[in-house]
Amino acid sequence: MGKEGLGLEITELRLGLPGANSDSGHRCDVMIDKNEKKRAFSEISEDDVEEGNRKKTTIKNQVVGWPPVCSYRKKNSFSDKDGSAKASKMYVKVSMDGAPFLRKIDLGMHEGYSHLAKALEKLFGEALRNAESCEFVPIYEDKDGDWMLVGDVPWEMFTESCKRLRIMKTADAKGFGVLRSKEALN
Amino acid sequence: MNYFPDEVLEHVFDFITSHKDRNSVSLVCKSWYKIERYSRQRVFIGNCYSISPERLIARFPGLKSLTLKGKPHFADFNLVPHDWGGFVYPWIEALAKSRIGLEELRLKRMVVSDESLELLSKSFVNFKSLVLVSCEGFTTDGLAAIAANCRFLRELDLQENEVDDHRGHWLSCFPESCTSLISLNFACLRGEVNLGALERLVSRSPNLKSLRLNRAVPLDTLQKLLMRAPQLVDLGIGSYVHDPFSEAYNKLKIAIQRCKSIRSLSGFLEVAPHCMSAIYPICGNLTFLNLSYAPGLHGNKLMKLIQHCRKLQRLWILDCIGDKGLGVVALTCKELQELRVFPSDPFEAGNAAVTEEGLVLVSAGCPKLNSLLYFCQQMTNAALITVAKNCPNFIRFRLCILDPIKPDPVTNQPLDEGFGAIVQSCKGLKRLSLSGLLTDQVFLYIGMYAEQLEMLSIAFAADSDKGMLYVLNGCKKLRKLEIRDCPFGDAALLEDVGKYETMRSLWMSSCEVTLGGCKAVAEKMPSLNVEIIDESEQMEFNLDDKQKVDKMYLYRTLVGHRKDAPEYVWIL
């Protein structure tokens, strides 16, 4: 599936830690698929650590691979707030502006944001291709009912709090009141 | 120079089973090397890239059991990209082409395709045992091939693998003629299984000693299985949810009581805490209890359960047990040797329920403690010093403070002294993982005292190259060193490159080593593979030697550069 010309550049929105700059001096990097440079959500980043702040700030919630718990265990043994066992399936509804029906996606089946991005492209490829040069932004509704921008928080935190996803036209975002978990970028 | 005929030597060698000892035996002289190699049946390869299947086959024609490990340990924590390597297919392919009568294959952190499982199942008539730990790349279709084709299968043990569950009927693929199963563990599978097929399989497996079920096996099936297999020694319960007043639950109580041989219990992947009393009758005999996948079990119900387990030697638990619960462990489990406390909610560290207090209680109450994995909210030097005094027998000591650079909260000091006490007191320490605020000083202690240390894991520690140098100079038996986010640079890396040939591997990520430094190691030591893992494409555009390397993995090898590395891995 050729991804060029989908017109889905979200070039302004870097979905890593707010404040992280986009030049190559940044060591924890964006995964840009060589063959698909113009993918939608192409700037979703897995790594959240800002280089200079490695040891100074509280690291625990923002670092890849810490605490050192293997991914199998992460997916299978953590409790949610009620104290009951976490379901291994995390199906959430995904809507896209302009698409006639919703889809469902299992967040538990994905390793991180870039995998999620690929999956969303698979689900909405048709609709994305047909949407005439619109820009889209992925947002999600969290447990508190707020609409948040996808990509701010570590992946595991995201999967635990995401209740539904929406692929929204950037044009609509301006009036929408989407929250960011830290300062807004740009 | 043999005073005995070969057969006698061979007979003597039969009694030597440890890999280390057999390796030593083979080095004595040419004749011993020859006898040893023809009689060797079990081979352990800690790094699948250190040797090739062809050379393995050439040296050990009598090979029956092979253990292979693939990805580096830090792959468990998402620090190694998925397709880095560790493919088992070439091994199975080469073994299949040879005349090796493989009977057992044990894999850890390897990529296993359905294709390889199928080839495995069809190539070795006497294949008996497949153990996959933390592997990925296969689906239940591959398992179906194993079930269908391995006529004398005794063991199928799947531990913590990422398996794509096609919900096919892999269990039904065991033919009626298969009655040899001793061990079946499919707890990590997420999908439904054919319950009728499972019941029939268990019924016709009189030698079944170990059975670990997945979440999809409900309580009433569990009851039926236990009725058919009261001889079980190791049981993993899938779903344990039921109404305590129901007939099914009463039947289960009776079934459990018949299982007088159970020594090991795990699972409870879904649990209704009020049903735990049915388990009490077998608790008194348990030596291993693993509740680390049962977050639904905590508080008083959990403590009551533990109070019945007086013979426990190994306990794996979640931190919702709390310090108080660990106090109960300390009072009850006097035979305890191994304790693992996992985090139940690692991203909200404020709620982590165990601290240094729980550990101190256990160390005081359980003098036989020798192996620890402990995720906690905080740790103090005083506690570590006490633990070191109470338990001088630690072989494995792995501490993980959820905030990795947290100092001693009482004194605000680094934890150097505490860990120093551990290495000084525990003269047999083989494995150590550090966390908390740590300076170069702790490494001075490690270099000085940790004479038996074989594996060391370091994260967010040290002030300078000195830290790494103390370790490399001091720990003569070091085999595996893995470091992340420490200020170690080229000076430390290059100080003694010969050392790396005495080790299995070195991992360094987010440190200060540069491309130039890594190149220098590669140049000086052709017997090492020095891999740079760089997914950001920086390497393609910027080959400046002064550039810092994000991830470096080096390991000794007899077979040079591997040919299966993905694009973003550069082997220098």
Side-chain angles (χ1 to χ4, degrees), chain A residues 7 61 80 82 85 88 93 108 120 124 129-130 147 163 172:
Chain A
N61 287 350
D80 60 24
D82 313 33
S88 58
K93 291 184 193 172
L120 291 177
F124 290 103
R129 274 194 296 280
N130 293 337
W147 285 94
K163 281 177 50 197
D172 292 344

Side-chain angles (χ1 to χ4, degrees), chain B residues 131 321 401:
Chain B
V131 180
I321 191 175
I401 304 171

Side-chain angles (χ1 to χ4, degrees), chain A residues 13-165:
Chain A
L13 266 55
R14 188 167 192 90
L15 299 176
L17 259 194
N21 53 31
S22 53
D23 33 11
S24 58
H26 191 268
R27 244 211 270 161
C28 296
D29 293 301
V30 157
M31 294 217 237
I32 301 179
D33 190 318
K34 254 172 68 164
N35 299 324
E36 300 181 327
K37 285 214 167 9
K38 293 234 179 216
R39 271 174 50 220
F41 321 126
S42 62
E43 256 112 359
I44 294 179
S45 165
E46 296 269 7
D47 294 64
D48 299 342
V49 177
E50 234 183 319
E51 191 178 16
N53 292 341
R54 253 204 320 260
K55 286 192 80 158
K56 305 298 178 200
T57 60
T58 312
I59 304 176
K60 56 182 186 286
N61 287 350
Q62 299 178 9
V63 172
V64 172
W66 196 270
V69 178
C70 70
S71 39
Y72 174 84
R73 188 171 280 285
K74 272 195 206 151
K75 288 181 189 156
N76 288 287
S77 74
F78 298 142
S79 53
D80 60 24
K81 294 206 160 85
D82 313 33
S84 55
K86 188 186 181 55
S88 58
K89 301 254 167 251
M90 289 185 267
Y91 278 104
V92 297
K93 291 184 193 172
V94 189
S95 61
M96 178 176 147
D97 292 0
F101 46 79
L102 277 60
R103 303 299 302 267
K104 260 201 163 163
I105 200 165
D106 179 4
L107 296 178
M109 293 309 291
H110 300 286
E111 252 90 41
Y113 287 116
S114 49
H115 280 236
L116 175 65
K118 280 195 189 135
L120 291 177
E121 277 168 24
K122 269 198 197 150
L123 284 183
F124 290 103
E126 199 58 44
L128 287 169
R129 274 194 296 280
N130 293 337
E132 300 148 328
S133 312
C134 281
E135 288 178 14
F136 289 87
V137 60
I139 60 175
Y140 70 99
E141 185 182 6
D142 75 357
K143 280 185 172 154
D144 301 320
D146 295 317
W147 285 94
M148 314 286 290
L149 189 67
V150 170
D152 281 343
V153 299
W155 172 255
E156 289 83 355
M157 202 189 273
F158 163 71
T159 57
E160 292 196 37
S161 56
C162 171
K163 281 177 50 197
R164 54 186 301 174
L165 277 162

